[in-house]
Amino acid sequence: MIELSEALTTLATSPVAKDREAIARLEKAAQVDINRILGELENQSMLAEIGLFDSLHERRRLTRKMILSAGLMCSGLSCLITIWLRPGYAIAITPIGFITGAAASSLMLANEAKNSSKNNL
């Protein structure tokens, strides 16, 4: 598939009169020449890619924090309950609580992402 900037360049250099007229109408509507339009398209494309990258990086960072906090919360809760019921098992139960909390949080996030992708289609 040809990119928009390449298609506009092809139309601007085309020997067909209708193509040149279409570019002239585009320049008149935008009140700038075709080279400036192409430059702005490239700049907007780069900004969109940077914004997408930053958004994905931020989303991944927040996801990691959420999974970690859920794991810590579950390990703390399981440790407190274990200390209250069976104090000798607290050290063995704490990592199990962390793993359980982190796994539950990651499953919840994965299920939420799956449902949101279905809704977007």
Side-chain angles (χ1 to χ4, degrees):
M1 187 170 156
I2 190 169
E3 288 189 24
L4 180 59
S5 59
E6 291 177 23
L8 289 173
T9 304
T10 303
L11 284 175
T13 58
S14 173
V16 178
K18 295 286 184 184
D19 293 344
R20 289 193 308 267
E21 288 175 15
I23 292 297
R25 285 195 308 266
L26 182 64
E27 289 175 334
K28 185 177 179 181
Q31 296 179 348
V32 292
D33 67 335
I34 191 67
N35 293 326
R36 183 148 182 220
I37 293 171
L38 292 172
E40 288 179 14
L41 282 173
E42 288 177 15
N43 289 341
Q44 289 175 359
S45 173
M46 289 173 57
L47 287 175
E49 288 177 12
I50 290 170
L52 179 63
F53 177 74
D54 288 345
S55 174
L56 288 174
H57 178 68
E58 185 69 22
R59 180 175 283 163
R60 286 181 182 147
R61 190 175 64 80
L62 290 173
T63 301
R64 272 190 238 124
K65 281 184 177 181
M66 185 176 282
I67 291 171
L68 182 65
S69 63
L72 289 173
M73 183 191 69
C74 285
S75 69
L77 184 62
S78 63
C79 184
L80 286 174
I81 291 171
T82 306
I83 287 173
W84 187 49
L85 297 174
R86 301 241 179 189
Y89 295 119
I91 297 196
I93 295 296
T94 303
I96 294 171
F98 178 80
I99 292 169
T100 303
S105 178
S106 63
L107 284 174
M108 181 196 69
L109 289 171
N111 195 19
E112 183 179 307
K114 185 173 129 181
N115 289 339
S116 69
S117 68
K118 281 184 181 178
N119 292 337
N120 289 337
L121 293 176

